[in-house]
Amino acid sequence: MLDHRDFPSKTMDKAVVEMIAKAEDENVITVWDRLEAMEPQCGFGDTGLCCRHCLQGPCRIDPFGDGPSTGICGATADTMVARGLDRAIAAGTAAHSGHARHLAHTLLKMAQGMAPDYSIKDKDKLFAVATRLNIQTEDRSENDVALDVAQAALADFHEKDTPVMWAATVVTPERAKKLTDLGLVPAGIDFEVSEIMHRTLYGVDADPVNLLLAGLRCGVADLAGCYMGTDLADILFGVPQPTVSQANLGTIKADAVNIAVHGHNPVLSDLLVTMAEQKSSAAIEAGAAGINLVGICCTGNEIMMRHGIPSCTHSVSQEMAIVTGALDAMVVDYQCIMPSVTSVAECYGTAIVTTMDICKIPGATHIEFTEEEAGAKADEIFSLAIERFARRKGKPVQIPDITTPVVTGFSVEAIVAALSNVDAQDPLKPVVDNIKAGNIRGVCLFAGCNNVKVPQDKNFSIMAKALLKENVLVIATGCGAGALMRQGFMDPTNVDELCGEGLKAVLTAIGEANNLGGPLPPVLHLGSCVDNSRAIALAVAVAQYLGVDTDKLPVVASAAEAVSEKAVSIGAYAVAAGLPTHVGVMLPVLGSPAVTEVLTSTVKDITGGYFIVDLDPESASEKLLAAIDERRAGLEL
């Protein structure tokens, strides 16, 4: 018990509360301590009025009119803010598309016989993707088709005369035409990232509207990268299907060799899952009960969705898994990994293992991963973790006795299959009929991260509760999904408590039609950050069923506790797809009234989507409900 100590300003997760107290007692510095040391944070940077893009600066503009009104080069607040936002979109796009490119190379090596530890796990998905890309499948081997798909994926990164296939083929025909007419179809994924960096360079593009349009086009390139990442992961590792798992720090086991996989790419983590059982004998010889794999962040989401591997924590609380003292190894690939994990690990004997040449951390053990030697590299990782367990054995640990049941694995294919058991001839009809009847008032996608400025999980929890009670179907990805799973939103037994009567009836009917003996969970877990593409795929399917474009649907999105630039690029493509998109933390744009007006209002007339920036989760929920009702009225529902 914490007696007088509590941390409501830091987290809603009781397991993390326990670990924060332990870290404080043991003088271990965590992310919350570093935030406190950083305050007060720079107000100029908070509003986007700080520029470091050349060596004459840094420049700042006074939003109150008493100081400088332009940068040294003459850039206005509007230019400065638009350039900064564009660079964030480009960074997010580079991250998601880098993930996708890695998978494309893995698929290529597999098809060429160079990666013996990998194979095609879902032929149907391979052939479905190939057909969408106009690649011939009839009378061809899986490997030959896979080779063409991999080469088509890699071709989408470079500037070319034809459209980026993973953008042009994944939206409605109406949306494709609109994006083409607006000049928002990317010429190449890498090309768009490169062009953003060029046009935001000192002395290039200074027109804020032109800059913002380029940012939206780069956002569409991000959609291509995300969609590609989802497609290729499904081909290589299997399309997720509903499965039961658990979340929170209680999934770590004191008597096992505990290995946490952390980051975003399943190429190594999926292999570790498949090899864990055969390595358990070595762990048992070292005195352990076996190998216990747990996930952190989106790598955790990937292996939870496909294998039911539990997720021990997400995002801002990643250090807390180490603070238990029971984590023997944290194996990271890339993205969202705090460099602080190595300094925290020094206090507890945890091995931090980096595996990618683009993501090395001082103090970590680097085991360079390659597809050609994947099995051997996995062997090294298991041996290191077992050796660390042998050092830890017999030492005290503190693992919070807190876990939450999770039903996961809701890929688009799994959702359609579940609906087919309600109406085999017309699977989407039950959903559309319930939207028309109001039993499903609308749909909200929760995405993004946890932000240390927000009490962990607070915004997600408040907003999800408000929307579910109003019969909004909630789907979730990334660390937003992690927040909601830890707070019980993916446990079917909580449907009665959390959902409105209409939504409860729908979830129960689908669950019973699939012989689950009860409802689907209140929130459907769609996967990792790149799997926001699954939400777009669902929206496109419903839009085409109704004969409208996606900007007419009662569908909204929220990055309620956003951190990463990836959340900004996801928001950009959600707006480009026509969705009202909420951000629950300060976007660095408020220093420019013109840019703020474009993003929150003017763009609605261009793409149909727009940003809602609201730090209050209760009022944000009301705004999203109003947006849903506006769309319903437009459809005369």
Side-chain angles (χ1 to χ4, degrees), residues 4 9 27-28 36 64 107 129 132 201 203 207 237 314-315 369 379 382 416 428 543 609 630:
H4 68 282
S9 64
N27 296 313
V28 176
E36 185 177 349
F64 305 108
L107 184 64
V129 171
R132 196 183 71 226
L201 184 76
D207 183 324
F237 309 118
H314 286 75
S315 199
F369 170 81
D379 270 340
F382 282 117
V416 172
L428 288 180
E630 180 184 17

Side-chain angles (χ1 to χ4, degrees), residues 28-51:
V28 176
I29 302 300
T30 70
V31 64
W32 287 278
D33 301 309
R34 295 191 295 275
L35 171 66
E36 185 177 349
M38 200 60 62
E39 292 175 342
Q41 292 180 305
C42 173
F44 294 101
D46 211 30
T47 56
L49 295 178
C50 176
C51 179

Side-chain angles (χ1 to χ4, degrees), residues 32 42 102 151 186 213 216 241 282 300 316 367 422 424 446 471 500-501 604:
W32 287 278
C42 173
H102 186 171
Q151 290 172 337
L213 287 171
L216 281 178
Q241 299 297 325
V316 75
I367 298 177
V422 180
F446 281 108
N471 297 308
E501 290 302 315
K604 184 178 181 180

